Amino acid sequence: MLIFGILCICLSLDVFVCALEQGASIRNIRFSKALVYGLIFALCSSGMFLLGHGMSTYIFGRPLATLNKYVAIFVFLILGNGMVIYSFKRGKFVERLQEFDTKQIIKLALIGGLDCFFVGVGCYYMNLPYLMESFVLFLIVLAGYMIHFYIGYYNGAGYQKVYYFLCGVVYLFMSLSLIFKLIRL
C-alpha cells in the first residue's frame, strides 16, 4: 500500500503543476471555486484510474496475466521517460492574469487523467485493492490541488519542472521494481 501511496502522489504531480499555474494566473481567489476545480480534477483522476484498471481486468483477465506484467512495465517506462524528457523541454511558465472556466478545467482534468488511466492498467498486475486505491488517489489529488492552488496564488509557479522530473523518476523506479519482481518469479 505504501507503493501505491507514493504512486498516487506521483500521479498527482501533473495536477499539482496545473494547480500551481492556475493559482499563479488567477486574479481573485475564492475557496469555493478552488474546491470545485479540485473536485473535478480528483474525480477525473480517480475515474480514469478505475477505468484503466477495469479495462485491464476485462481485456487481460487471469489467462493473460503474464502479458499484463509486460504491459505494466511498458506503461511505467513510457510515462517515466516522457515525464523526465518533458521536464527538460518545457519552457518557463509565464504568469499572466486569466480566468478559467469549467470547460477548460474539465479538459485539463481529462488530459491530466490519461496517466491515471495508464497507471490503472499497470496497477492491475500489482493486485492492490483498486477501490481503496481510487479513493486514496481522490483524496491526494483533492488535497494536493487545493494546497498547490494556494501556493501558486501566493508564490507563483516556479517549481513545475522539478515536479515533472520527480514524477518521471518515480515512474522509472516503479518500472524497475516490476522488472525485478518479474525476474524473481
Side-chain angles (χ1 to χ4, degrees):
M1 196 64 168
L2 176 67
I3 291 173
F4 187 73
I6 294 169
L7 190 59
C8 282
I9 292 171
C10 289
L11 282 172
S12 304
L13 287 177
D14 57 344
V15 174
F16 296 169
V17 171
C18 189
L20 278 172
E21 292 175 356
Q22 288 172 357
S25 61
I26 200 163
R27 180 182 311 245
N28 294 327
I29 192 167
R30 288 192 326 240
F31 180 79
S32 61
K33 191 174 232 183
L35 181 64
V36 168
Y37 291 168
L39 285 171
I40 290 171
F41 274 96
L43 286 172
C44 283
S45 294
S46 61
M48 293 292 268
F49 177 83
L50 283 174
L51 182 65
H53 196 280
M55 283 186 65
S56 62
T57 303
Y58 178 74
I59 293 171
F60 295 112
R62 290 294 165 206
L64 298 174
T66 306
L67 177 63
N68 194 26
K69 295 174 188 176
Y70 298 113
V71 169
I73 292 168
F74 180 73
V75 163
F76 287 127
L77 279 174
I78 294 297
L79 284 174
N81 285 325
M83 290 289 220
V84 168
I85 291 169
Y86 186 69
S87 72
F88 289 111
K89 287 186 175 181
R90 184 178 169 113
K92 186 174 179 171
F93 177 72
V94 179
E95 296 178 17
R96 62 184 184 279
L97 293 178
Q98 67 183 37
E99 289 296 321
F100 293 93
D101 64 342
T102 308
K103 288 181 184 179
Q104 281 180 306
I105 297 299
I106 291 172
K107 181 181 173 185
L108 287 172
L110 288 174
I111 291 170
L114 285 177
D115 60 343
C116 295
F117 173 79
F118 290 118
V119 170
V121 170
C123 280
Y124 171 72
Y125 164 66
M126 300 168 100
N127 292 325
L128 298 172
Y130 64 93
L131 290 177
M132 179 61 94
E133 294 169 8
S134 179
F135 182 67
V136 169
L137 179 63
F138 177 84
L139 293 177
I140 289 175
V141 168
L142 180 61
Y145 182 89
M146 297 299 291
I147 291 167
H148 285 83
F149 187 84
Y150 282 100
I151 289 173
Y153 182 73
Y154 290 111
N155 296 331
Y159 297 108
Q160 74 249 21
K161 285 186 173 188
V162 175
Y163 282 139
Y164 278 117
F165 182 77
L166 288 174
C167 183
V169 168
V170 171
Y171 284 151
L172 290 174
F173 279 128
M174 290 299 292
S175 66
L176 289 176
S177 72
L178 288 175
I179 289 170
F180 291 138
K181 190 175 181 180
L182 186 66
I183 290 172
R184 276 191 266 150
L185 297 176

